[in-house]
Each structure stands twice: as C-alpha cells, then as structure tokens.
Amino acid sequence: MKWLVLVLVCLQLSEGLVRIKLKKAKSIREKMKEAGVLEDYLKKIKYDPVKKYRFSKDHVVYEPMTNHLDSSYFGEISIGTPPQNFLVLFDTGSSNLWVPSTLCRTLACCEYRNRVAQSTPSTRAYGSLAVVLGYDTLTIQSIKVTNQEFGLSEYEPTEPFYYAEFDGILGMAYPSLAVGGTPTALQGMLQQNQLAEPIFSFYFSRRPTYSYGGELILGGVDTQLFQGDIVWAPVSRELYWQVTLDEFVIGQSATGWCSEGCQAVVDTGTGCCSSHNLLFTLSPQYAVDCNKIKNMPTLTFIINGAELPLHPSSYVSNVYGYCTLGVEATYLYSLNDQPLWILGDVFLKEYYTIFDMANNRLGFAVSV
C-alpha cells in the first residue's frame, strides 16, 4: 500500500516543519520493578520480545504492552474539539493510533483522569487491547487532520497499563500494517497536505531528561541535530520500516551471520536492537564490570555498504555504577526466512534517522 505522497523536492529545514519535543520518562519495566510486581508479571504473561512483529491479516493486530516495557520516549498530541491532550508513544513499529476513552473504567484508565477521548465510537474491536474505533480531529501543534480514525480503549488491564507513563500509541509504520485497513495518522497528514514534505525524522538525545529526551520532526529534517553525510538505504519491505542488513561486525571481525541475508526493522517503539542471535535492550539482563567497558568491542552494523558502529558506551547501561549489557536471545525471522533485527532506542540514540515516505528509504546520520 502506498503513502499517496508528492515527489520529494529537498531535505532542508523549512518554516513548514513541526517539531515535537520528546519526553524521557521511566519505562514500564522500571516502574513495575520499583513497585515489586515485575517478576511475577513476566512469569504470568510469558514475556515475548518479538510478538509485536508477528503480523496477521485476520483483522486482528496484537500490540502487547510487554513489547513496550522498555519504551520511554513520548510526545504530546491532541484529539477532539475542544482538543484533549494525550502523551503518546510515536511508534514506527506499528501503524494504528489509539488512546484511552471514557468507555474504559478500569483502574489503569483512572490514572489518565481527564485525558480520555469522548468521540462516539463504531463497534469494531481489535487486538489484545480492547478498543473500538472513533473519528475526530487529530492535532499536533500546527497540524490538524480532520475525521481521523483512531482506537478508543474500552478495557486496559492494570498490569502493565497502570505503570505506563504514556496514554496511547501513534503508529508510524506503513499503512499495510494497519489493522483492517484503518487509515493511519500519517496518511491523514499527507492527504490533507499537513506536511511540508513527505518526511519525518527522529532525534534521541544521548543524555535525555524528562523535559527533553529528543525530537520528532514532522515534514523534514533538522541538519543541526546530526553531523556528516546521510547514509541512505531502500526499504526492503513496505510493512515495517525495514532495510537489508549486509553484515554484523564485532570488533574487527565480521560474524558472517548475514551471509545468507538479514533484515532490520527501525523501531522507535522498542528499546532494542535484535536478531535471532542478539537482542540489545534499554533494560538489559546481564551485568558487566564497569571498569572493563572501554575494553569491550565496537558493534558495527553494515547497511547498504556503510558502517554504522555502536561503541561500548552506547550499548552498556551504567546506572549509579551498576553496569548492564542488553543481550537476549530471540528467534525472529522475516517472511523470506532471513533473520530479522530490530534497531531500537539504543541504535537511535547514536543515529539521527530519517523516514522518507516519498522514496521509500531510510536515512542515517551521526547524532550530535
């Protein structure tokens, strides 16, 4: 399915850009751990880090919150007239927009207080989150999309929703991933000429705070947020924002893991970089000696012939002198049976990433 966009003219900062500052808050995993409920919850739900990437065409999309346990970068949107504000996860790994509604009476929804949508819904439900569909005006600063279809939650289980810092999700993947062919927010922006150019880009700060965790630029790029040349790679499959991974290098040694091909999904809605071999998360599971970080190898992704390295300081988390490495085995494969990697927050903090809808390509440049 195509985006229905105009031809891309240039990649320059212009007055038509919309800049959304991202907040960096505690992740669901962190808050549940602090509350002492994480261990029992993970045992109960059998945490599956790749369930999000199993796509079905039976009008059901599974958007399990366990895949967002490590997500912690959010921004504000408004829905309705007068507008009601929501803090959402801008997720390039899904395509649907949903927020809590007045239909939801569970304890998790009570946490949202007045931040609930009041549109009249249709009766179609989908997903492991119980929602129905409604229509209203979507506002993101100067962007206004009328009659935008979106999900309204009518049931949210206490765990893990009660511990989420964000209200809902705004999916930014391809329209072909949207459940039941529901029009995406990006489609609405494009069709109603709300973007200066058919591009959006993400900058994740290396030193994020709640007030400033990074930026989402709708309609173009900000050249002040990166340095050097942009590495472009064509989208290999128009579902997720997926590119071909040529090779993965540890230190100076090529692993050969991609000798028969690998695919990589760039996903702002997850805290990981993964393959069937490794999963790098923002909430890692293995402790390392903080004094030996400088001796650890650089991990390099080769995409479209260009080397994109991650240094040890990027993939090791140091929290009050306790250092951990996010490596977790997984088993995910793409439809052509090539290993599917997930390039998430760990990768995005190092590389300003451009999502070019007109030319179906991704751009990477070193973040400032």
Side-chain angles (χ1 to χ4, degrees):
M1 183 178 295
K2 301 300 182 182
W3 292 100
L4 300 177
V5 298
L6 301 175
V7 176
L8 177 64
V9 177
C10 61
L11 282 174
Q12 296 180 347
L13 191 65
S14 69
E15 295 180 356
L17 293 185
V18 173
R19 184 188 304 270
I20 299 100
K21 289 187 177 180
L22 302 176
K23 301 176 184 294
K24 172 66 168 66
K26 289 183 179 180
S27 68
I28 296 175
R29 185 187 295 270
E30 290 172 319
K31 294 190 70 175
M32 292 184 74
K33 185 175 182 179
E34 289 178 354
V37 299
L38 178 63
E39 185 175 352
D40 287 342
Y41 174 71
L42 292 178
K43 290 179 180 178
K44 179 176 64 178
I45 55 88
K46 297 181 179 179
Y47 173 59
D48 184 348
V50 300
K51 188 174 183 179
K52 174 181 178 180
Y53 305 95
R54 297 196 193 116
F55 176 65
S56 170
K57 295 184 179 179
D58 59 359
H59 296 280
V60 175
V61 63
Y62 292 95
E63 187 65 38
M65 287 300 295
T66 52
N67 294 292
H68 296 295
L69 286 181
D70 298 302
S71 299
S72 52
Y73 293 86
F74 322 116
E76 192 170 83
I77 67 170
S78 299
I79 294 177
T81 306
Q84 301 166 76
N85 296 333
F86 298 92
L87 196 61
V88 298
L89 169 64
F90 292 100
D91 182 15
T92 59
S94 65
S95 295
N96 291 91
L97 167 62
W98 67 265
V99 293
S101 77
T102 53
L103 301 171
C104 183
R105 300 294 183 181
T106 61
L107 181 61
C109 292
C110 290
E111 281 295 288
Y112 300 122
R113 296 179 294 277
N114 296 323
R115 301 197 311 275
V116 290
Q118 299 177 15
S119 302
T120 301
S122 67
T123 57
R124 184 158 49 120
Y126 62 93
S128 55
L129 169 70
V131 303
V132 292
L133 299 180
Y135 303 82
D136 217 321
T137 298
L138 168 65
T139 303
I140 307 177
Q141 295 186 22
S142 62
I143 292 175
K144 288 187 182 297
V145 180
T146 59
N147 296 317
Q148 175 63 51
E149 189 170 13
F150 63 100
L152 302 100
S153 67
E154 57 180 3
Y155 173 77
E156 296 183 15
T158 300
E159 294 182 357
F161 287 90
Y162 180 85
Y163 300 94
E165 289 278 351
F166 57 95
D167 304 319
I169 293 175
L170 191 153
M172 306 182 78
Y174 276 84
S176 52
L177 187 61
V179 58
T182 302
T184 69
L186 283 172
Q187 280 181 300
M189 294 177 202
L190 293 166
Q191 293 167 0
Q192 298 182 30
N193 298 315
Q194 293 297 299
L195 297 182
E197 297 178 14
I199 299 171
F200 61 92
S201 51
F202 276 91
Y203 168 75
F204 283 9
S205 173
R206 291 191 179 94
R207 297 177 179 84
T209 64
Y210 182 79
S211 59
Y212 185 79
E215 298 182 34
L216 163 61
I217 310 294
L218 291 170
V221 303
D222 186 344
T223 56
Q224 296 183 345
L225 295 177
F226 65 88
Q227 57 189 345
D229 297 329
I230 299 171
V231 173
W232 292 103
V235 170
S236 56
R237 182 170 180 243
E238 296 174 21
L239 185 66
Y240 300 103
W241 285 94
Q242 180 175 316
V243 296
T244 298
L245 179 62
D246 302 330
E247 179 60 277
F248 177 68
V249 179
I250 300 177
Q252 301 298 316
S253 303
T255 62
W257 293 347
C258 296
S259 59
E260 297 183 4
C262 288
Q263 298 293 307
V265 169
V266 181
D267 187 356
T268 58
T270 189
C272 60
C273 304
S274 76
S275 77
H276 69 309
N277 296 291
L278 298 175
L279 174 63
F280 301 98
T281 70
L282 281 180
S283 184
Q285 305 297 315
Y286 299 99
V288 298
D289 188 339
C290 294
N291 296 321
K292 296 182 179 179
I293 293 177
K294 61 182 179 181
N295 298 323
M296 298 176 69
T298 295
L299 307 177
T300 303
F301 299 90
I302 300 180
I303 298 176
N304 204 22
E307 297 184 358
L308 303 176
L310 286 181
H311 300 291
S313 58
S314 303
Y315 64 84
V316 175
S317 174
N318 188 332
V319 179
Y320 302 116
Y322 180 70
C323 295
T324 48
L325 169 68
V327 179
E328 180 180 348
T330 185
Y331 51 86
L332 191 62
Y333 285 83
S334 60
L335 289 184
N336 61 1
D337 289 331
Q338 293 183 352
L340 186 61
W341 296 63
I342 306 152
L343 305 181
D345 298 355
V346 171
F347 179 86
L348 291 163
K349 283 198 296 184
E350 300 302 312
Y351 293 99
Y352 184 96
T353 304
I354 304 163
F355 299 77
D356 183 348
M357 295 178 283
N359 297 295
N360 290 313
R361 62 178 181 170
L362 280 162
F364 307 101
V366 177
S367 294
V368 295

